[in-house]
């Protein structure tokens, strides 16, 4: 197996590389509310609804407007609370509060071993994405991310395809040379909008029916000997329930074949 045709795999971060939302971002938002003297708190269910708005500052802004604040009040509060939240979340990462999803570092090393370039396209803030990826790669043996696109690099957040389009441009590859790995409806739509075939690994806040546009849906990344449940695999690229370099190369090839039809 070689990576001749598959040149790059572009990973989402939140919900994909790690389950960061329920016990990470959400907790940081609530601490930032408390530190600001606000009584607002986001419980797990409410946060799942709020997650439909990508971008923490954008999520706060919409929440404050829907809570009755004026646009100006909402903008000022969102900026202030998001700055505080980001510092709190960064500290959570630096202190090791968040671990990657099982199978992630194995997959990263698997791809690096066959020369496939790794990249990230996230709507999260670079202030915490950098330390997050540094800690993630400490667990890997040879993987490195050649390109990291964050919410700070784009004007429009997912499901807009801008983050993926920018990652492709910085990688100097076309959409047909790459595969995306995502967890959510917003993410799968963003990848599709950039013409990139997508693998979905739904997590805490997404379900198989949310990611129907993906070319492959697994319940987890899987491990040799501990396969994941295969939820949708129309091309038959991951019959063993393990997301590895071979499955990603096969998905790209099969999808290219779809495009030729
Ligand atoms: C998920 C997001 C992010 C995080 C919060 O990003 O929408 O906004 O929820 O991080 P992705 P910030 O799934 O694309 O990685 O507060 O830094 O935005
Ligand atoms: Mg995500």
């Amino acid at each position: 197996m070689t990576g001749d045709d598959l040149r790059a795999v572009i990973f989402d971060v939140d919900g994909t590389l790690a389950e960061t939302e329920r016990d990470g971002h959400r907790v940081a938002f609530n601490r930032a509310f408390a530190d600001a003297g606000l009584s607002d708190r986001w419980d797990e269910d409410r946060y799942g609804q709020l997650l439909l708005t990508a971008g923490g500052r954008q999520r706060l802004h919409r929440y404050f407007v829907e809570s009755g604040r004026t646009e100006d009040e909402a903008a000022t509060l969102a900026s202030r609370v998001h700055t505080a939240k980001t510092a709190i979340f960064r500290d959570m990462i630096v202190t090791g509060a968040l671990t990657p999803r099982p199978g992630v570092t194995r997959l990263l090393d698997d791809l690096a071993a066959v020369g496939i370039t790794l990249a990230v396209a996230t709507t999260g803030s670079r202030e915490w994405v950098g330390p997050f990826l540094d800690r993630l790669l400490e667990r890997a043996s040879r993987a490195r991310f050649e390109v990291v696109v964050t919410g700070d690099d784009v004007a429009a957040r997912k499901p807009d395809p801008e983050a993926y389009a920018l990652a492709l441009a910085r990688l100097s590859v076309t959409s047909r040379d790459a595969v995306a790995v995502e967890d959510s409806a917003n993410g799968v739509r963003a990848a599709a909008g950039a013409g990139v075939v997508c693998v979905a690994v739904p997590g805490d806040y997404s379900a198989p029916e949310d990611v129907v546009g993906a070319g492959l849906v697994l319940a987890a990344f899987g491990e040799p000997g501990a396969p994941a449940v295969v939820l949708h695999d129309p091309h038959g690229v991951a019959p063993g329930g393990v997301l590895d370099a071979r499955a990603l190369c096969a998905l790209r090839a099969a999808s290219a074949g779809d495009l030729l039809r």
Side-chain angles (χ1 to χ4, degrees):
M1 178 229 22
T2 69
D4 285 355
D5 295 329
L6 174 60
R7 295 181 56 198
V9 177
I10 307 171
F11 289 88
D12 165 54
V13 175
D14 291 298
T16 301
L17 291 177
E19 285 292 11
T20 56
E21 296 290 1
R22 185 183 55 208
D23 301 327
H25 288 296
R26 184 183 67 87
V27 171
F29 279 113
N30 286 333
R31 285 184 191 161
F33 288 139
D35 291 351
L38 299 170
S39 59
D40 305 82
R41 296 294 182 273
W42 290 347
D43 66 24
E44 293 182 19
D45 290 344
R46 182 80 174 90
Y47 189 65
Q49 298 159 0
L50 293 162
L51 261 179
L52 294 176
T53 302
R57 190 174 53 74
Q58 292 76 2
R59 191 170 306 140
L60 284 163
H61 186 111
R62 178 173 178 178
Y63 166 78
F64 285 132
V65 168
E66 290 175 353
S67 305
R69 270 85 164 197
T70 67
E71 276 288 336
D72 286 349
E73 287 167 345
T76 302
L77 266 179
S79 182
R80 190 172 117 218
V81 171
H82 191 248
T83 298
K85 171 265 175 184
T86 298
I88 293 165
F89 187 65
R90 188 184 191 284
D91 287 348
M92 293 171 80
I93 288 169
V94 171
T95 55
L98 295 161
T99 54
R101 290 182 66 169
V104 162
T105 48
R106 173 207 39 88
L107 174 59
L108 295 176
D109 282 331
D110 194 20
L111 292 166
V114 292
I116 294 172
T117 301
L118 306 176
V120 161
T122 174
T123 38
S125 307
R126 188 172 290 276
E127 181 176 337
W128 65 262
V129 171
F132 170 82
L133 296 179
D134 291 345
R135 289 190 64 85
L136 171 65
L137 295 178
E138 287 169 4
R139 297 167 177 262
S141 60
R142 58 190 299 174
R144 289 296 171 268
F145 290 106
E146 294 303 322
V147 166
V148 177
V149 172
T150 73
D152 298 73
D153 301 316
V154 294
R157 282 168 172 68
K158 298 174 186 176
D160 187 283
E162 188 181 352
Y164 279 102
L166 181 58
L168 292 171
R170 289 184 176 173
L171 286 162
S172 302
V173 301
T174 71
S175 59
R176 294 162 61 98
D177 304 322
V179 172
V181 184
E182 274 280 358
D183 70 301
S184 68
N186 274 348
V188 171
R189 282 205 296 272
V196 181
V197 64
C198 191
V199 177
V201 193
D204 287 347
Y205 280 114
S206 53
E209 59 271 20
D210 298 334
V211 291
V212 290
L216 169 66
V217 182
L218 297 173
F221 286 79
E223 294 282 7
V229 175
V230 179
L231 297 168
H232 177 67
D233 185 9
H235 297 294
V237 299
V242 177
L243 188 58
D244 56 17
R246 184 179 304 281
L248 288 165
C249 289
L251 178 62
R252 196 223 60 84
S255 306
D258 284 350
L259 289 174
L260 290 176
R261 285 196 195 118

